[in-house]
Amino acid sequence: MAYDSDNIFAKILRGEIPCKKVYEDDYALAFHDVRPQADIHVLVIPKGEYISNDDFSLSAPEDLIVGFWRAVATVGRELEIVESGYRLLANHGLNAHQTVDHFHVHLFGGHPLGPMLYKVR
Ligand code: 5GP
């Protein structure tokens, strides 16, 4: 599968679609999810064309991988939820219900989040 540069997060990165920005540096952009599933629900995306974590881990330069994950942690600190706790989640592919094919990490927090997964069948 090839990266589609018309995906919604590519458009947000290029500034063609607005977002509620939380944080930005040379490696990553973080913004509020448009349909939040927790009081705090932020998406962190790398600045580069990667479909998912599989692609990102295989193909991204090391400085981007390090910079991206540092940015994820920085977002947690900026949101002041390090002490109370937060959850990171990254969907890859169909079974995980990935809907936007630009690698992104969800960051949830702001209240107790309950058990990690529940069985759907
Ligand atoms: P996925 O299921 O691919 O892991 O999550 C994609 C996420 O992107 C969903 O939580 C969805 O609400 C969010 N999303 C989809 N379109 C937009 C958008 O245009 N702006 C923002 N801020 N979030 C979006």
Side-chain angles (χ1 to χ4, degrees):
M1 176 178 170
Y3 180 86
D4 174 10
S5 55
D6 278 338
N7 76 72
I8 201 95
F9 293 170
K11 289 180 179 175
I12 286 175
L13 261 185
R14 290 195 296 266
E16 294 166 13
I17 288 178
C19 70
K20 278 176 66 186
K21 192 198 292 189
V22 172
Y23 175 78
E24 181 171 18
D25 63 18
D26 288 346
Y27 306 105
L29 173 69
F31 51 90
H32 290 281
D33 196 293
V34 78
R35 284 181 292 276
Q37 297 187 47
D39 286 356
I40 295 174
H41 183 177
V42 167
L43 300 165
V44 191
I45 67 175
K47 292 190 170 178
E49 299 191 338
Y50 306 99
I51 297 169
S52 75
N53 183 55
D54 186 65
D55 183 21
F56 184 65
S57 302
L58 277 172
S59 311
E62 285 184 15
D63 65 330
L64 180 56
I65 293 174
V66 171
F68 172 75
W69 285 108
R70 287 218 166 107
V72 172
T74 301
V75 170
R77 289 194 299 276
E78 298 260 321
L79 293 168
E80 300 184 345
I81 53 173
V82 174
E83 204 167 314
S84 57
Y86 59 83
R87 177 173 295 156
L88 302 179
L89 183 151
N91 291 318
H92 165 81
L94 277 179
N95 277 356
H97 211 270
Q98 182 176 0
T99 60
V100 180
D101 290 330
H102 180 112
F103 175 45
H104 52 282
V105 170
H106 297 256
L107 190 155
F108 302 100
H111 53 85
L113 295 164
M116 189 168 66
L117 285 176
Y118 61 93
K119 209 169 182 181
V120 291
R121 62 190 163 113

